Amino acid sequence: MKTINTIFKLFLLATIFVACNEEEPAAIDPNLEPGEEVTTPTSAGTFTAKIDGADYTVDITTATMSNGVITIMGKRGADVVILRIPSNITPNSVTNPYTLDGAGSTYFGAYNTNTTTLSEATTQSDLHMTFDDAEWTAENSVATILNGVTTIKGVKTAHINTGNTDTNGNPIFADVTQEVKMELQTDQSGSHVFGPVNVAYYNTGVAGGDIFETDVTVDNGNVTLDIDTENKLISGSFNFDGTETYTSTYTPLTGTDTDGDGVFDGVENDLGTDANDPCDPIQPAGYTGYIAANAVWQAGDCDGDGTTNNDELLAGTDPYEGNADTDGDGVSDAQEDVYGTDSTDPCDPAQSEQYMGYNASETVWQAGDCDGDTISNGDEVTNGTDPYFMDFLTKSFSQGEFTYVPYTDGGTPVRRGLNISTHNVANKKIIGTFSFISASIGEDPTRWYLITDGAFDVTYTTP
C-alpha cells in the first residue's frame, strides 16, 4: 500500500511538471520576454573629407555595387557625401583625376546638407556682382596666377537689344559675350586697390563701345583676395566705378532730296514716307530744315491753310504753323501717330548722333536722356555735348563676389575630381581620394560648398 501511495505521488508531480512546461515563460514572468536584438551597422570602411575647410569625419560608410555602378556614401547624421562611379573604374593619378560632375555625369559627386537640400558636384564656380541695381552672374569663371599677376575673369552670354532696327522698324537683337575682368599685380592674399596699377573693367559685349573701366588716376575701388594654394582656388569680393569713353564713328548722310523737305530720299524710303511729297513726313511748327529754293517744296502747303509754302515765306509766316510737337523731339504729334511712337516721349522715335531736329526750349525734351548716359538732354546742350551720343557714362559695380574659382599657374594641374589608387575587383576593395565644388540645388541664391581632402578605403557589396 505504501508503494502504491509513493507511485501515485510521483505521478502527480510529473503531471504538474509537464503542465508547467507547456506554459510560455512570459506567461509566468513577463520579465523573461527577450527584447528585439539590435544589430549595430557595420561600416564598409573609412571615409573623411574637409568641407569648407572644416574636418568632416563620417559616422558610417556604406558602399554598394549595382548595375555596374559603385556608390560610396559617407554619412554623418542627416549629412552625406555621395560618390558614384562605374564598377570598371581603374587607378589613375592625382594629377589626372576623373571629373566629378552632376547627376547626368558618369562620375557623380554630391553633398546633402540635410534630407531636402542636394548639392551636386560642378565644374562651375561663382562670380557675380550688382551694378546699377542689376544682378550679373557669370556663366563661367576662370583665373590665372602667373609671374606675380593675378587675373580673374567671368563671362556670360546675353541676348540684348543692339539699338538698331531692321527695314520694318523692328529692334534687332543679338547674342553678345559680356565680361568682367580684374588684373592685380600680386599673387598674395589681401586687400588691393584698383587704380593705376590694379585694374578692372566690365564689357557689355556690344560692338563699338560699352567697356567700363576703373579710373586709372583715382583710387575708386578695391578687391579682397583669398588664395588657397593647396587646392589652387581663389575667392574674394570687389567693387569699383566704371567709366566709359566713346569714340564717335558718325558719318554725315548724303544723297538726293527730291521734294526739298530736308529728308534725303534714301532716308524717306527707310522711313516709309514719300520722297516726292514735301509735306511727308509731317514736320512740326517752327521746322526750318527744308530747302527753300526747291520748286517741289515751294508748291506744297504743309500746314494745310490754303497758302503755299513759298507764299508763306514771302509773307513771313510759318509754313508748318499749327503742327504740334508735344515732346519737342522734332517729330510732330501727327507724324508720331503715323509711326505709332509716343508723342509725349522725347526719345521716341530714336535718332542717330548729331541729330539737330529737336526743340531745345521744350521742357519735356530737356528733361529726357536720349542717349542714356545719365545726363539730361538740357544739361548736354548746356555742357556742349551731344544729347544723342554717349559722350560718357559712369556705372557703379558693387557687391561683387567670386567664390572658389580654380586658378592655373602654368605648373601642376589643379587637383580635382576622383583619384583612385587601388581597385581590387576580386575582393571588391577600392581606395582613393576626391575633391570637388558642390553647388546646391533648389536654393536661392545657390550655396557653394568646397569639399576637399576627401579620402576613402572601402569594401563594397552587391545586393
Side-chain angles (χ1 to χ4, degrees), residues 311-360:
D311 287 345
E312 297 246 21
L313 285 184
L314 294 175
T317 55
D318 183 359
Y320 298 93
E321 186 176 2
N323 294 345
D325 178 14
T326 302
D327 51 19
D329 60 1
V331 183
S332 69
D333 294 357
Q335 188 62 45
E336 296 223 36
D337 288 341
V338 174
Y339 288 155
T341 54
D342 188 346
S343 61
T344 63
D345 182 347
C347 305
D348 185 21
Q351 303 290 356
S352 61
E353 62 178 286
Q354 297 195 23
Y355 171 72
M356 298 297 293
Y358 55 85
N359 179 1

Side-chain angles (χ1 to χ4, degrees), residues 275-298:
N276 297 298
D277 182 348
C279 303
D280 184 19
I282 305 168
Q283 302 291 2
Y287 176 70
T288 59
Y290 52 83
I291 302 174
N294 183 286
V296 178
W297 181 86
Q298 290 176 351

